[in-house]
Amino acid sequence: MSSGTTRPPTFQDKRSRPDQVSFSQSHSQHPHSNAESRKRSASINPRSTSRHVEERRTEKVQVTTRETLMTRTRSPDRREGAKQRAAEPRSRDMRQDAPPQEKKKNPPPPTWEPEATLLPHTTAPLASRISIPPLASTAPQTLQPKPFHDLSLEAQEAVIIEDLLFVFMGYEGQYIRFGKGYNPNEERDRLSGPTWRILPGLDPSLQDLTQSMLRMAAHYTALETFVDVQSREEFGSVNHALCASIRKLLQEYLVMVAQLETQFLTDDSFTLHVLNIHVLPTSHMMHQVYGLAHELLKRNALLDDESDESSDGGDDYDHILEQLREGGELVPGNMTGKKITKGGVVLGLITKRLESMSGDPAARALLTTLLRDASKPYMAMLNEWLHHGGINDPHSEFLIKEQRSIRRERLEQDYTDEYWERRYTIRDHDVPPQLEGVKDKVLLAGKYLNVVRECGGVDVSLQVKHVPTSFDDNRFLDNVNNAYAHANESLMQLLLTTHQLPARLRSLKHYFFLDPSDYFSYFLELGASELRKPVKSVNTGKLQSLLDLVLRQPGSIVALDPFKEDVKVEMNEINLTKSLHRVVNITGIEQGEALQPLTSNQPVESDKAANGFTSLQIDYSVPFPVSLVVSRKTVWRYQALFRYLLSLRYLESQLSTTWQTHTSGFVWCHRSSSRVLEIWKRRVWTLRARMLVFVQQLLYFCTAEVIEPNWQALMARVREREKPPQQEQQQQAGAGEQNGTTLPTPTTSPNLHHYPLKSTHIRPGLTRTVDELMQDHVDFLDTCLKECMLTNSKLLRIHSKLTQTCTIFATYTNWLSRELEKTDPDLSGHHRPPNMSEEQWRVFQSVRSQKPTDASFMEGQQQQQQGEDKMASLFDLIRKWEDNFSKHLQILLDALNHYAATETVVLLSLCARLSTANAGSGYTGRGEYGQGQVDGVGVQNGGGGMEGGDVRMGGV
């Protein structure tokens, strides 16, 4: 047969429309006689290029007829008569025409008519819904092809090329079929890709080339199934975009298969070797995409290989809890067992594979395209977050996670800054590599804009233009940095200008640090009668009215404060020392951790002896968004400092009242004829003076050397943000030239040690952020608490003992006056002493007549003996008070020296000031009251059991 022999018609019939092949055609029409007669000019007889070749094609038209059966319904009577009439001739004919047994014919073989059905819908809108074709091995024997050994080499090549064109699209051929272990109805098998087997008898040279091309066919089937699976709704928009990009590649692949079929039908020189050369680049491309898809499927546990057990599934639990908070239910769809790989993890896998394939230009171009397409929905979410402060993340795949249950209405009861710290958080395991270095900027930019948007400062209807839409854009990092700078500037201006944050901070200083204390002293005088009551009996509403009256008093600084309406009076039944002890023990502030306030849901035993003075505290309400800076967490710190300063001022007022009694009371002013009694009175006066010096020096240190320098440093940092950088540098340079001195740098500033902020690396003139401002504010308060000795449990215990001793001494002043009157021989008799004038005696008699007196006075030896016993008792009492105060003061000085050398150098100033209060005492300079006593021995024992109860009972 010549090279122009007519081709088998079945080739064109079956491959002219590759997308419309019926299952019955693909297995029933394969005339091997025609395929065997086909000759390949390229492999057998090379043709001359000038020879004219004629080609004839035949077309086979199949006509399908359809018969319609019509039935008619008869009445019951007619139906029975017709049945009887028809039964008689039928039985007669059967008896006459019955053929003999040997003349029976075999029944025709059953026809094989496979059908395609529609599968039910899935959440993947473009997934294939055509049922899986039946296996070729299930076809009848009459449709099975001839074995290879009955075909010539040319015919084998022709049929194997034709089968390969089927196999490239995922269908079985006549000689190339699925492996025995592959089940096309199993999704796992389709995702892994089918294994192919070639019927025995194929020429070895053809078999090697065929086996090398079958791998691409397996990759196509796996990728087609991968696209259908990963396009489901739960896999997220990044996976959807990746599947859309892969679907484009598969479409180009099918176009290539159609082009190869055209060459096979029209070109006699198209051999198996030529087919192999044509598919090599596409095979490499399919191998790269299949490797990426296989890794994603392993992460999602959709293959036989189990996913990494160490993968963090915590985000799924958070998602379930979030759904429950929003009113969801625990249905099976919400309780996923495995964490789905989506979002930034998918982009990270593509990026990692791109880096490992950077030496392969074709693979790099392919993976770059996949990364560009897959990152587009992620970039849309990123731009929405960066430029509008909103999150449009229905599949929880963005690197920022939003807790919708945390709302701004809870800021008034939020003692842990939950709204700012936990409303928006970073999914650390889902951050793409491209955003790893700027993830904190991304978080802060959206948080800042979100706050500005809630205050009406962002127009969300505006469309953001000229922004990158994929990760391969050169403007990607510039977009993040510019959005971060704009968001920070917007929120900073909103806080500093619109909501007057500096004025708010000054208002807080007035009320909590008693900066102008004139109004508060007046308030304490007006409410003294109410504040002396037990804490449960104090009328808070009355105190609030008095405070409002004082705050509106003309002539005071606070009268001009626009925020005085936000100040409220409260009563805290928990003692300050107990509260601070509980906080320090819980949080471990001594080890350098953050100080967390004690919330109302943590039970603490209330102080039964507390009165209005020791329980008084004020609250301050702040509107949003200033409540982000002045949060409940910081207000608690303000309240702790306020209660501490108030306790010192109250103790100072008690000692001042004692001083007034000692200087104006007749019992104390009278110079007794008893020299021993005068010595006792001088010891009492000296102890009172030492206590007053201790309290006043401590109060001065806390206000003038701790709070004020740190406050000035904080306001300097706030003012840095209000000035442009160039203007501030010019002002500093001009001030230095005028004074002829060099301004101290931040590292050499004398007051820098008062304010050890975490952000001290920020130099003046650099752009400040809102988070740095918030951290500066918290650091300011934490520094004040630390330097005021309120975060160290050992110093708290020592300080508590000293203030307790001073309080008891001031409380028992009246009792000491009565005992002094009974002990003084000049005042206990009925006769005027020689060293007292008549007028003084009359005044004393009038005062004594108003006091209850005994029915009779002891005379003579008995009175003298009891006076000596009382004098000894008073001397013993004052000795115990002196020892207790001096000993604990010396322990405090030793502790301050220790902590000044190890932690806070500013405590050296306090140590120098308090040393004057202990000068001349018997404990000055004693080494045995050093750090060993600070650790609890001296504090607990108090020098032989000298507790507060022992002091009260000492003179009785």
Side-chain angles (χ1 to χ4, degrees):
M1 187 178 291
S2 64
S3 60
T5 306
T6 304
R7 294 186 180 275
T10 57
F11 293 162
Q12 182 183 5
D13 294 341
K14 288 160 52 176
R15 305 306 293 161
S16 59
R17 293 291 299 278
D19 55 342
Q20 298 180 1
V21 180
S22 66
F23 299 154
S24 59
Q25 269 189 323
S26 63
H27 292 283
S28 61
Q29 297 179 4
H30 197 294
H32 298 289
S33 58
N34 291 341
E36 192 173 0
S37 64
R38 183 179 184 271
K39 288 189 177 181
R40 317 304 295 258
S41 60
S43 58
I44 307 298
N45 298 320
R47 297 181 300 170
S48 172
T49 57
S50 61
R51 181 177 178 183
H52 179 67
V53 179
E54 291 184 359
E55 183 176 349
R56 292 186 302 168
R57 300 187 182 184
T58 60
E59 294 185 358
K60 181 178 179 181
V61 180
Q62 183 176 355
V63 179
T64 303
T65 60
R66 179 178 299 174
E67 297 181 358
T68 303
L69 299 179
M70 300 180 62
T71 59
R72 295 180 180 178
T73 304
R74 297 182 179 182
S75 64
D77 298 338
R78 290 186 178 184
R79 190 180 305 161
E80 291 178 0
K83 286 182 179 180
Q84 293 176 359
R85 289 191 299 269
E88 295 177 357
R90 188 182 301 117
S91 60
R92 189 168 50 251
D93 293 341
M94 290 178 64
R95 289 191 299 268
Q96 295 177 358
D97 301 336
Q101 186 71 19
E102 61 274 5
K103 290 185 179 182
K104 280 187 178 181
K105 294 183 180 180
N106 294 328
T111 58
W112 190 59
E113 298 178 352
E115 295 180 353
T117 59
L118 288 178
L119 300 177
H121 284 285
T122 65
T123 55
L126 299 181
S128 174
R129 296 185 58 206
I130 305 299
S131 61
I132 304 297
L135 298 178
S137 58
T138 61
Q141 189 63 31
T142 56
L143 298 180
Q144 297 297 332
K146 287 185 178 181
F148 276 120
H149 57 77
D150 293 343
L151 302 177
S152 64
L153 183 64
E154 295 131 348
Q156 287 185 13
E157 184 179 31
V159 295
I160 208 68
I161 291 177
E162 182 183 13
D163 272 10
L164 280 174
L165 293 175
F166 273 101
V167 170
F168 286 166
M169 296 188 298
Y171 300 108
E172 286 184 295
Q174 292 183 333
Y175 295 94
I176 304 176
R177 300 181 179 179
F178 293 136
K180 293 184 178 179
Y182 174 74
N183 184 6
N185 295 313
E186 287 289 336
E187 188 178 87
R188 283 180 179 268
D189 289 353
R190 297 202 309 273
L191 287 171
S192 300
T195 56
W196 302 96
R197 62 183 179 90
I198 305 174
L199 296 184
L202 182 63
D203 187 82
S205 62
L206 299 177
Q207 186 163 0
D208 290 342
L209 283 175
T210 303
Q211 288 287 359
S212 65
M213 287 184 283
L214 288 179
R215 187 180 65 172
M216 183 182 71
H219 292 168
Y220 171 77
T221 302
L223 288 176
E224 190 177 35
T225 310
F226 170 81
V227 168
D228 289 347
V229 171
Q230 294 286 117
S231 296
R232 295 171 186 167
E233 182 181 4
E234 63 267 19
F235 287 94
S237 56
V238 173
N239 275 317
H240 297 169
L242 176 63
C243 291
S245 183
I246 296 177
R247 190 179 286 112
K248 292 180 183 177
L249 298 177
L250 297 182
Q251 185 66 28
E252 296 176 0
Y253 169 86
L254 291 178
V255 171
M256 181 206 69
V257 173
Q259 292 173 349
L260 292 175
E261 181 187 22
T262 302
Q263 291 190 20
F264 170 70
L265 295 175
T266 59
D267 190 358
D268 289 336
S269 63
F270 189 79
T271 62
L272 191 64
H273 182 67
V274 174
L275 175 65
N276 183 43
I277 293 175
H278 279 304
V279 301
L280 277 178
T282 306
S283 177
H284 179 63
M285 179 267 292
M286 297 290 284
H287 174 70
Q288 294 296 333
V289 181
Y290 175 79
L292 175 63
H294 190 75
E295 190 170 358
L296 283 173
L297 292 172
K298 286 176 62 178
R299 291 290 189 94
N300 288 327
L302 293 177
L303 298 178
D304 292 333
D305 299 332
E306 292 297 330
S307 61
D308 187 7
E309 295 296 333
S310 62
S311 61
D312 184 17
D315 190 70
D316 289 336
Y317 301 131
D318 292 341
H319 182 64
I320 293 173
L321 293 175
E322 185 68 20
Q323 285 184 340
L324 291 177
R325 292 191 190 101
E326 295 177 1
E329 298 179 356
L330 286 178
V331 296
N334 292 339
M335 301 178 64
T336 57
K338 294 288 184 179
K339 183 179 179 181
I340 297 178
T341 301
K342 55 188 177 182
V345 180
V346 176
L347 299 177
L349 290 177
I350 301 176
T351 305
K352 183 179 179 181
R353 197 169 186 86
L354 179 60
E355 292 174 353
S356 62
M357 296 293 175
S358 58
D360 186 348
R364 186 175 67 249
L366 171 66
L367 293 173
T368 302
T369 302
L370 292 179
L371 179 62
R372 181 188 307 115
D373 294 342
S375 63
K376 286 182 179 179
Y378 199 90
M379 281 299 300
M381 290 186 285
L382 181 62
N383 288 326
E384 175 69 18
W385 173 251
L386 289 176
H387 299 286
H388 288 157
I391 293 183
N392 184 15
D393 184 19
H395 304 101
S396 302
E397 54 188 333
F398 192 47
L399 82 158
I400 305 299
K401 178 175 64 176
E402 179 183 10
Q403 296 282 357
R404 296 182 181 274
S405 60
I406 302 176
R407 298 179 176 86
R408 54 180 281 191
E409 290 78 11
R410 296 171 55 181
L411 281 172
E412 296 182 358
Q413 294 84 27
D414 184 10
Y415 283 88
T416 59
D417 284 352
E418 186 181 35
Y419 178 83
W420 185 254
E421 298 293 340
R422 296 183 56 195
R423 172 71 187 274
Y424 298 104
T425 54
I426 298 177
R427 294 186 174 99
D428 292 322
H429 300 286
D430 298 342
V431 180
Q434 293 84 353
L435 292 173
E436 187 64 39
V438 293
K439 62 181 180 181
D440 293 328
K441 287 188 176 182
V442 172
L443 173 64
L444 293 179
K447 285 171 67 173
Y448 295 165
L449 272 188
N450 191 273
V451 174
V452 178
R453 185 186 63 177
E454 290 192 18
C455 297
V458 177
D459 188 359
V460 295
S461 63
L462 294 178
Q463 295 293 330
V464 182
K465 300 179 180 179
H466 307 295
V467 292
T469 57
S470 62
F471 282 168
D472 61 341
D473 198 314
N474 295 329
R475 304 169 298 166
F476 171 69
L477 290 179
D478 291 339
N479 178 47
V480 175
N481 292 327
N482 294 336
Y484 171 71
H486 170 71
N488 178 64
E489 181 70 22
S490 301
L491 182 55
M492 190 69 78
Q493 290 299 323
L494 183 69
L495 290 174
L496 297 179
T497 305
T498 307
H499 291 275
Q500 304 176 6
L501 178 61
R504 281 280 180 184
L505 295 178
R506 285 190 290 270
S507 176
L508 287 168
K509 183 188 178 187
H510 292 332
Y511 298 121
F512 287 98
F513 298 153
L514 307 179
D515 184 18
S517 59
D518 56 344
Y519 81 93
F520 202 77
S521 299
Y522 185 36
F523 166 71
L524 293 180
E525 291 177 7
L526 292 178
S529 60
E530 195 70 29
L531 292 172
R532 291 193 186 97
K533 298 178 182 178
V535 61
K536 295 183 180 295
S537 304
V538 174
N539 188 346
T540 310
K542 181 178 179 180
L543 292 178
Q544 182 65 49
S545 301
L546 292 176
L547 181 62
D548 294 339
L549 179 64
V550 169
L551 293 180
R552 288 163 177 78
Q553 190 73 20
S556 176
I557 296 179
V558 294
L560 303 177
D561 184 13
F563 310 114
K564 55 180 175 289
E565 300 290 342
D566 299 328
V567 183
K568 305 298 179 185
V569 175
E570 290 182 346
M571 286 292 156
N572 193 339
E573 298 182 8
I574 304 172
N575 183 274
L576 174 63
T577 305
K578 289 183 180 179
S579 176
L580 290 173
H581 268 299
R582 181 72 178 270
V583 171
V584 170
N585 293 334
I586 290 175
T587 62
I589 188 66
E590 296 173 28
Q591 283 73 33
E593 299 179 6
L595 177 65
Q596 299 295 334
L598 186 67
T599 57
S600 58
N601 57 358
Q602 299 177 0
V604 175
E605 184 181 357
S606 59
D607 189 2
K608 297 180 180 179
N611 57 16
F613 282 105
T614 58
S615 302
L616 176 65
Q617 75 177 19
I618 59 176
D619 193 15
Y620 194 87
S621 58
V622 184
F624 187 84
V626 184
S627 55
L628 297 176
V629 180
V630 187
S631 61
R632 299 304 308 173
K633 188 176 179 179
T634 57
V635 169
W636 184 90
R637 289 168 165 81
Y638 277 110
Q639 289 175 342
L641 288 168
F642 168 79
R643 293 187 67 186
Y644 179 64
L645 296 177
L646 177 61
S647 66
L648 292 179
R649 287 192 177 273
Y650 178 58
L651 183 55
E652 182 190 16
S653 66
Q654 285 181 302
L655 291 173
S656 299
T657 304
T658 302
W659 169 83
Q660 187 176 7
T661 302
H662 290 173
T663 56
S664 61
F666 182 80
V667 178
W668 296 94
C669 296
H670 168 67
R671 186 177 182 89
S672 176
S673 58
S674 174
R675 176 178 174 83
V676 179
L677 191 58
E678 286 297 317
I679 294 175
W680 180 84
K681 287 197 291 187
R682 282 169 174 77
R683 291 179 64 178
V684 173
W685 294 338
T686 304
L687 180 59
R688 181 256 305 155
R690 291 173 56 199
M691 289 181 175
L692 192 56
V693 168
F694 164 73
V695 175
Q696 289 177 341
Q697 292 293 344
L698 187 57
L699 184 59
Y700 176 82
F701 169 78
C702 292
T703 55
E705 296 193 11
V706 173
I707 295 178
E708 189 62 28
N710 288 308
W711 169 262
Q712 295 300 331
L714 174 65
M715 296 309 295
R717 289 178 175 272
V718 175
R719 286 191 296 269
E720 283 176 12
R721 192 58 191 87
E722 293 178 327
K723 294 181 181 179
Q726 297 180 355
Q727 178 183 354
E728 183 178 357
Q729 292 175 0
Q730 291 175 1
Q731 289 181 0
Q732 291 180 355
E737 291 175 0
Q738 272 187 347
N739 299 333
T741 58
T742 304
L743 292 177
T745 61
T747 57
T748 61
S749 176
N751 289 330
L752 185 63
H753 65 275
H754 293 296
Y755 196 23
L757 294 179
K758 297 179 181 178
S759 55
T760 52
H761 62 278
I762 302 175
R763 298 185 302 273
L766 296 181
T767 301
R768 302 288 311 285
T769 66
V770 176
D771 265 66
E772 290 171 358
L773 178 61
M774 295 168 62
Q775 190 60 46
D776 287 349
H777 187 220
V778 174
D779 288 343
F780 155 72
L781 294 171
D782 286 345
T783 303
C784 292
L785 287 170
K786 183 178 181 180
E787 294 182 358
C788 289
M789 305 175 294
L790 299 181
T791 59
N792 190 304
S793 59
K794 300 178 181 64
L795 293 177
L796 274 175
R797 286 197 296 268
I798 304 170
H799 180 270
S800 176
K801 292 294 181 181
L802 285 168
T803 55
Q804 185 182 15
T805 303
C806 296
T807 303
I808 293 174
F809 176 80
T811 305
Y812 277 79
T813 300
N814 293 331
W815 179 82
L816 287 176
S817 300
R818 292 194 299 271
E819 291 298 316
L820 178 59
E821 182 181 349
K822 294 177 183 179
T823 308
D824 192 347
D826 297 340
L827 304 178
S828 60
H830 295 282
H831 303 286
R832 180 176 62 86
N835 57 352
M836 183 183 299
S837 63
E838 294 184 1
E839 184 177 356
Q840 291 176 345
W841 177 252
R842 283 196 304 270
V843 172
F844 173 71
Q845 289 287 58
S846 63
V847 172
R848 190 168 63 176
S849 62
Q850 299 174 2
K851 299 178 182 179
T853 58
D854 296 335
S856 64
F857 291 93
M858 292 174 292
E859 301 290 344
Q861 189 68 24
Q862 185 179 1
Q863 181 180 1
Q864 183 179 1
Q865 181 63 32
Q866 188 168 359
E868 292 176 359
D869 293 341
K870 286 186 178 181
M871 183 62 65
S873 176
L874 291 177
F875 269 97
D876 184 60
L877 177 61
I878 194 62
R879 181 186 57 79
K880 289 184 178 181
W881 267 333
E882 288 175 341
D883 290 346
N884 195 30
F885 179 75
S886 300
K887 177 183 176 181
H888 286 101
L889 183 56
Q890 187 59 44
I891 294 175
L892 178 62
L893 292 175
D894 293 340
L896 292 177
N897 277 313
H898 170 73
Y899 288 114
T902 58
E903 293 184 9
T904 310
V905 68
V906 73
L907 295 178
L908 280 177
S909 174
L910 178 62
C911 186
R913 292 181 178 278
L914 296 183
S915 61
T916 60
N918 214 28
S921 65
Y923 294 93
T924 304
R926 288 194 179 184
E928 62 268 20
Y929 299 100
Q931 183 58 29
Q933 297 288 338
V934 176
D935 291 333
V937 179
V939 176
Q940 297 297 332
N941 296 333
M946 188 59 186
E947 294 292 339
D950 298 333
V951 175
R952 287 192 293 269
M953 296 299 296
V956 179

